[in-house]
Amino acid sequence: MNRVTPGTNQGSKPTETKGTAIMRKTVNGSTFEQEVLRGSGPVLVDFWAEWCMPCHAVAPVLERIAAEHNLKLVEVNYDEEQRLAERYGVLSIPNMILFENGEPKAQAIGAQPKSTLERALGLAA
C-alpha cells in the first residue's frame, strides 16, 4: 500500500515542485532491479513503513529533493520487503539510499531537515 502524503493521491503520487511533477513509485523484490538497478539516472530509494510517523514526515522532503536534483524517487515498504531491506543493510527507517549506475552511492537514516539529508546523500553544493 502506498502512503498518502498531503496534497497527493494514493498510488503513484505526483508532487508539484517548481513546475516539475515527481512521481513516487512503489517497488518490490520483483521490480527493484528494473526500476532501481537498471534505471537510467540516479534513483533515490525510500525504505518506509505505514506505522512509521517519521517516514510520513520525511516523504514530502524527499519529493522536494528529488524534484530539485532531478532524481527518480521510489519507495520500498520495509514490512513487506524484508529481503530488500536486509540486502542493503536497512535496520531502521526512514532510510534513504541514493543509487547511481545500479550501485548504492550514499545513505541517510532518519527524518532530518532537507539540507541535512542533501548533505548526507552527497547532493549539497
Side-chain angles (χ1 to χ4, degrees), residues 24-52:
R24 172 186 288 273
K25 185 172 189 173
T26 300
V27 297
N28 57 38
S30 61
T31 60
F32 189 85
E33 184 172 341
Q34 179 66 34
E35 296 293 332
V36 178
L37 304 181
R38 291 191 204 166
S40 61
V43 181
L44 182 57
V45 179
D46 176 20
F47 287 86
W48 74 286
E50 188 64 44
W51 50 263
C52 173

Side-chain angles (χ1 to χ4, degrees), residues 5-100:
T5 53
T8 63
N9 296 319
Q10 212 166 358
S12 289
K13 298 173 287 293
T15 299
E16 283 292 322
T17 305
K18 292 187 178 180
T20 304
I22 292 297
M23 294 298 284
R24 172 186 288 273
K25 185 172 189 173
T26 300
V27 297
N28 57 38
S30 61
T31 60
F32 189 85
E33 184 172 341
Q34 179 66 34
E35 296 293 332
V36 178
L37 304 181
R38 291 191 204 166
S40 61
V43 181
L44 182 57
V45 179
D46 176 20
F47 287 86
W48 74 286
E50 188 64 44
W51 50 263
C52 173
M53 289 306 112
C55 296
H56 290 282
V58 78
V61 176
L62 297 178
E63 291 166 355
R64 205 164 145 218
I65 289 170
E68 291 176 6
H69 295 277
N70 197 28
L71 306 173
K72 179 178 180 179
L73 179 61
V74 301
E75 61 185 18
V76 174
N77 186 307
Y78 180 81
D79 292 331
E80 296 173 3
E81 300 297 333
Q82 284 293 306
R83 286 189 178 170
L84 275 177
E86 289 173 13
R87 180 176 173 184
Y88 292 103
V90 174
L91 300 175
S92 61
I93 55 175
N95 196 316
M96 294 68 62
I97 303 175
L98 180 62
F99 283 78
E100 284 191 9

